[in-house]
Amino acid sequence: QVVNDEPGHWWAWDRLGELKALQRNFREAADSYECASALKPQDPALLFKLGQACLDDGRKDEAERVFAKAASLARTTLAMLRHQAALQEASGSWAALEATANTWIAVHPRDPQAWRSLAKAQSEAGYFGKAMASFRHALTFGVRDADSLATYASLCMSALRFDAAAE
């Protein structure tokens, strides 16, 4: 109702985008975030949301363009690194994902998702020993649930480290 009555409120468009994203209507979420961003063009957080909505909508090229614009407005933030990594993983850009993960680790060395991203890039590139070591860091800093331990065991087996997989 607010965007219809007073369309000049960036925060109303932002909230509408969040609602549409929760409803998995990513095209409309992106449209809402685009309106919010047009009203508040120096806010990289709105661009990150727009980029994620584009990525979730399957528009990888558009997401990449939006994330690049957001990156030019923001320093190396955790949100930016997460979005870049998601985009690179979705597009299978393993070398780029490895570079982003290494930057992420340099800025946030105890973030388990950064280590998981690095392990994913290394595994997809065929460096299973490195992927195993990186994922071990993810387990050190993050949750050690059954899914994570099974993933680690799988990496150990791919690295031919059956002793570590058995543990």
Side-chain angles (χ1 to χ4, degrees), residues 18-83:
E18 290 172 1
L19 175 64
K20 294 298 183 179
L22 285 172
Q23 295 172 336
R24 304 189 58 76
N25 189 339
F26 302 117
R27 174 86 48 180
E28 287 185 25
D31 292 344
S32 296
Y33 289 133
E34 194 160 23
C35 289
S37 182
L39 293 167
K40 195 174 179 191
Q42 297 303 313
D43 188 345
L46 294 172
L47 289 171
F48 289 134
K49 291 178 181 182
L50 171 57
Q52 186 63 51
C54 290
L55 184 61
D56 291 340
D57 191 41
R59 296 181 288 151
K60 294 177 186 145
D61 292 341
E62 180 68 9
E64 191 170 303
R65 183 192 65 73
V66 171
F67 285 141
K69 184 176 178 184
S72 72
L73 294 175
R75 292 183 18 229
T76 304
T77 65
L78 181 58
M80 182 187 76
L81 293 167
R82 283 187 175 156
H83 288 300

Side-chain angles (χ1 to χ4, degrees), residues 113-134:
Q113 188 56 44
W115 289 102
R116 283 176 171 266
S117 293
L118 181 58
K120 175 73 172 182
Q122 292 166 331
S123 173
E124 292 293 336
Y127 299 110
F128 300 114
K130 288 181 179 183
M132 182 182 123
S134 295

Side-chain angles (χ1 to χ4, degrees), residues 127-148:
Y127 299 110
F128 300 114
K130 288 181 179 183
M132 182 182 123
S134 295
F135 203 88
R136 190 177 319 116
H137 285 291
L139 290 174
T140 300
F141 301 126
V143 177
R144 297 176 67 98
D145 58 9
D147 187 48
S148 296

